[in-house]
Amino acid sequence: MSGSTRRNSILGGFIGRILKVDLTRTKIRKQELQESFYREWFGGYGLGVRVLYSDIIPKTDLLDPGNIIGLTTGVLTGTLVPLSGSFTAVGKSPLTGAWNDSRCGGFFGPVLKRAGYDAIFVSGKASKPVYIWINEDKVRIMDASEIWGKTTSETEKIVKENHGKKVQVACIGPSGEKLSKISCITHDRGRAAARGGFGAVMGSKNLKAVAVTGDKNVAVEDLDALKELRKNFIDLIKSAWTYWAYEKYGTTGPVEAFALIGESPIKNWAGIGSEEFRTSEKIGSESIHKYVVRRYGCWGCPINCGAWVKIEDGPYATETHRPEYETVAAFGGLLLNDNIESIIYATAICNEYGLDTISVGATIAFAMECYEKGLITKKDTDGIELKWGDTEAIVRVTEKIARREGFGNVLADGVKLASEKIDKGSERYAMHVCGQELPMLDPKLLTRHSYELGLVYVVDAAPGRHTHGIGLDNAIQALGVCTFIGWMGAKAGGIGSLYNFLKAVTGWNLTEKDFLIVSNRIATLRQAFNVREGFEPSDFKLPDRVLGKPPHKSGPLEGITLDLDSHIKEYFNSMGWDYRTGKPSQEKLKELGLEDVIKDLY
């Protein structure tokens, strides 16, 4: 998995080379990067925002050939560091128009590095459907006519038949081909860089897939130290109850409890789980677990939280990845749906067609409330009665969204655009921030302890995201590791364990202060990207219902209203950004070595 040899002046953990592919001109360029670059940006969406801030022309249309999409790895990706199997898709979101990044686990990221590249960036538009084939130093733009129109699993099967079983594939399904703005990039038949609509960007470029294989070592500075750190980390996290919960149930462990305590939004964020969704145990972790047929993990993962599930017979017979917590909540309590088989089946549809399950569930919830309120009728919905909890209706509408058929075409670009099409005051039922549908975690539940979740939903450059944070989070995200390393790592020394892993891999002896500087540099350039695109902080707002305006009159969230304004101001001030315009100050930009941004913003 890893070697221990230094190559020239480059330390371990990164290759020092990225790919740039122009599909319009059919040009392939390999660009070298210096060690100093990685010290400043680490990788992941740090690498991504630095490259794209320089390469994307401001105000480029989201689906224009001039737009660029990147697939990036971090300095720890593909090493012996536990949970280092990530890649991150980066670029402009078709949903929001703002900066977007979306992480995906599996094996694509590590194999991209083993092929000899830290990232690939794709611009232009092919004259016909293509895919990019990377076999170490051989990089080709291939005809994709054989796989265009195919589902994600069909696409991977054909590509592997053509190039070998070891090839790793990141592809789009038919929804991405049809430019659905809630479509995603899919890997391994269901793992997804799901959020923000990147499937539509690839579809607009006639790019069906990126396929990669490689066997080069990812060098590390001190292999013996890394092996010892890995062993100690795994021994420590295995003593935590959370390890065993994730190992057995994946992320579905809290499904039932979260619905009842108010953590999961119910009935399009208007309901109360303890009163209106008391049957949440029907979609809980044990209810899902009985369908598990085999488990799996990503590259270097000691937890193996993934699983395949199978429904043997009946109207929802299928086999697919076990749905994650967010998916179960989006197709479950958000729709008052307690039929777990319908949720698994809807998950399979999204996996095969390449759709973000959070956005699909949220969009159906929006449509159901519009139907309930009389803003749309059966005439608008192709004869489907969109009643809360109607499993048949949920599955049928999911299929229509996936195929962009009939009423599905109205919903296929998410709640913001759907509300603009339906009009009639429907925007009050569209739960999003700047076009991005919200995750299945209610920030009001945490107000007694921390405002961070609600704050992140509106201050992060990629809004409405539950996997992002503040403080050191941008640096951690850029390392190319799974979010679980933070959650599980508290048992194994928390952030300190990452410092040690990074030193063993790269040789860099970084402190928390160094991490914070890198994190602030990444956050500030992502913020500057949005400012340059014309966004102001006021464009990122949580809906009144999510804020608790008016508050619930009963239940766990009774009387709670989230007041974020003072916390947003405090955060912007601490970052050196202007609260009104969003601009990072010239002093802050100089401090972070971002002098080139000053001429753009001032």
Side-chain angles (χ1 to χ4, degrees):
M1 288 175 65
S2 289
S4 58
T5 306
R6 288 195 187 196
R7 290 153 300 162
N8 301 323
S9 61
I10 296 178
L11 299 178
F14 54 88
I15 307 301
R17 182 170 63 169
I18 62 175
L19 267 178
K20 291 186 174 180
V21 179
D22 184 333
L23 295 178
T24 300
R25 298 175 177 84
T26 63
K27 289 181 63 176
I28 298 168
R29 182 163 67 94
K30 299 169 185 177
Q31 180 180 339
E32 304 293 323
L33 298 175
Q34 300 301 312
E35 178 191 346
S36 58
F37 179 94
Y38 295 89
R39 279 182 174 267
E40 292 182 349
W41 303 99
F42 284 1
Y45 66 58
L47 184 160
V49 72
R50 180 63 271 186
V51 170
L52 293 183
Y53 185 89
S54 300
D55 289 1
I56 291 180
I57 297 172
K59 308 295 177 66
T60 297
D61 186 82
L62 300 164
L63 300 181
D64 185 270
N67 197 13
I68 305 172
I69 187 169
L71 305 178
T72 67
T73 67
V75 290
L76 299 184
T77 302
T79 66
L80 284 174
V81 175
L83 298 97
S84 61
S86 294
F87 76 92
T88 303
V90 293
K92 288 174 67 174
S93 167
L95 267 181
T96 67
W99 172 260
N100 188 54
D101 45 71
S102 189
R103 191 192 66 82
C104 179
F107 292 82
F108 180 89
V111 173
L112 180 61
K113 286 183 77 169
R114 288 169 67 83
Y117 307 96
D118 292 311
I120 175 173
F121 294 91
V122 185
S123 61
K125 179 178 181 178
S127 58
K128 61 181 181 180
V130 298
Y131 68 97
I132 297 170
W133 165 231
I134 304 168
N135 183 8
E136 298 191 353
D137 292 332
K138 299 176 183 178
V139 183
R140 298 176 183 173
I141 300 172
M142 310 285 289
D143 176 33
S145 57
E146 182 183 17
I147 53 178
W148 196 258
K150 301 294 186 182
T151 66
T152 59
S153 63
E154 290 170 339
T155 297
E156 289 204 25
K157 182 175 183 292
I158 293 170
V159 171
K160 287 178 181 288
E161 287 172 351
N162 292 341
H163 298 292
K165 293 181 179 180
K166 289 185 177 181
V167 67
Q168 298 299 319
V169 182
C171 67
I172 60 173
S175 295
E177 295 173 14
K178 295 182 179 180
L179 308 185
S180 165
K181 292 185 177 181
I182 54 175
S183 62
C184 63
I185 299 171
T186 302
H187 165 55
D188 193 22
R189 299 176 290 166
R191 307 173 200 244
R195 310 244 63 199
F198 278 145
V201 180
M202 285 183 60
S204 72
K205 296 181 176 302
N206 279 330
L207 177 62
K208 179 66 173 178
V210 177
V212 59
T213 192
D215 290 313
K216 296 181 179 181
N217 284 334
V218 179
V220 300
E221 174 69 7
D222 191 336
L223 183 59
D224 291 337
L226 181 57
K227 287 180 177 179
E228 184 66 19
L229 287 168
R230 176 183 171 87
K231 179 182 181 301
N232 292 340
F233 182 93
I234 293 173
D235 287 345
L236 284 168
I237 66 170
K238 281 188 174 181
S239 65
W241 70 266
T242 48
Y243 172 88
W244 303 106
Y246 284 128
E247 184 186 47
K248 181 175 180 179
Y249 300 121
T251 60
T252 67
V255 167
E256 178 181 350
F258 277 15
L260 297 176
I261 68 173
E263 182 68 80
S264 297
I266 302 297
K267 199 180 181 183
N268 199 30
W269 292 81
I272 300 170
S274 57
E275 298 176 9
E276 299 173 84
F277 199 58
R278 295 177 179 174
T279 55
S280 61
E281 76 280 355
K282 291 184 177 181
I283 62 169
S285 54
E286 284 294 344
S287 296
I288 300 169
H289 185 67
K290 67 181 182 181
Y291 295 98
V292 170
V293 290
R294 64 184 182 276
R295 293 172 52 242
Y296 64 79
C298 300
W299 171 281
C301 181
I303 303 173
N304 294 323
C305 73
W308 278 85
V309 291
K310 185 176 184 178
I311 300 172
E312 294 286 354
D313 50 35
Y316 303 128
T318 190
E319 186 172 4
T320 192
H321 289 269
R322 175 174 56 199
E324 304 288 347
Y325 160 78
E326 294 281 330
T327 301
V328 178
F331 280 110
L334 198 67
L335 308 177
L336 295 187
N337 175 24
D338 64 5
N339 184 314
I340 189 57
E341 292 195 352
S342 73
I343 293 173
I344 293 171
Y345 192 80
T347 301
I349 295 169
C350 292
N351 289 346
E352 291 293 333
Y353 280 81
L355 285 167
D356 175 6
T357 55
I358 298 175
S359 288
V360 173
T363 305
I364 295 174
F366 158 78
M368 283 184 162
E369 187 157 9
C370 288
Y371 189 89
E372 179 185 49
K373 297 294 195 295
L375 304 185
I376 55 176
T377 67
K378 288 172 66 175
K379 183 179 179 181
D380 304 298
T381 64
D382 306 325
I384 300 172
E385 286 194 75
L386 275 177
K387 294 182 178 180
W388 296 108
D390 188 323
T391 57
E392 182 181 351
I394 291 166
V395 169
R396 287 181 64 191
V397 173
T398 301
E399 291 172 335
K400 284 183 173 290
I401 292 172
R403 296 168 182 157
R404 213 172 182 127
E405 293 177 351
F407 185 56
N409 190 46
V410 175
L411 305 181
D413 295 318
V415 297
K416 183 176 184 290
L417 289 180
S419 68
E420 292 174 3
K421 293 173 184 177
I422 294 172
D423 201 11
K424 302 177 184 177
S426 62
E427 66 274 5
R428 75 187 70 172
Y429 310 124
M431 300 296 108
H432 67 90
V433 176
C434 199
Q436 178 67 75
E437 292 78 17
L438 290 169
M440 300 296 105
L441 295 168
D442 193 323
K444 294 191 294 298
L445 186 70
L446 302 178
T447 56
R448 297 184 182 92
H449 311 290
S450 170
Y451 278 78
E452 183 171 328
L453 184 61
L455 190 64
V456 168
Y457 283 175
V458 294
V459 301
D460 193 80
R465 307 289 287 279
H466 67 291
T467 53
H468 290 171
I470 56 178
L472 297 170
D473 185 72
N474 284 280
I476 295 170
Q477 296 269 0
L479 292 174
V481 292
C482 174
T483 306
F484 276 10
I485 202 166
W487 298 346
M488 302 298 296
K491 181 74 176 178
I495 186 67
S497 64
L498 281 178
Y499 302 153
N500 294 331
F501 278 128
L502 188 61
K503 182 179 180 181
V505 170
T506 66
W508 305 337
N509 190 18
L510 302 186
T511 65
E512 183 172 333
K513 181 180 178 181
D514 297 322
F515 258 66
L516 188 60
I517 291 171
V518 173
S519 195
N520 287 347
R521 181 181 294 120
I522 295 170
T524 297
L525 191 57
R526 290 163 83 236
Q527 175 69 12
F529 185 99
N530 283 354
V531 172
R532 194 177 66 171
E533 291 297 320
F535 287 95
E536 296 180 351
S538 59
D539 294 315
F540 292 2
K541 293 181 177 179
L542 280 171
D544 282 352
R545 181 179 288 177
V546 177
L547 291 169
K549 298 180 180 178
H552 286 171
K553 295 181 180 180
S554 60
L557 303 178
E558 179 182 356
I560 297 178
T561 298
L562 191 62
D563 182 6
L564 288 178
D565 288 346
S566 63
H567 297 277
I568 295 171
K569 290 179 182 178
E570 182 181 352
Y571 175 76
F572 271 67
N573 288 335
S574 71
M575 294 297 293
W577 306 345
D578 184 82
Y579 172 70
R580 185 181 61 82
T581 66
K583 286 185 181 182
S585 70
Q586 294 188 56
E587 293 75 18
K588 177 58 66 173
L589 292 169
K590 290 177 182 177
E591 177 188 321
L592 296 172
L594 299 174
E595 287 85 354
D596 63 304
V597 179
I598 295 174
K599 62 181 174 58
D600 294 332
L601 303 189
Y602 292 91

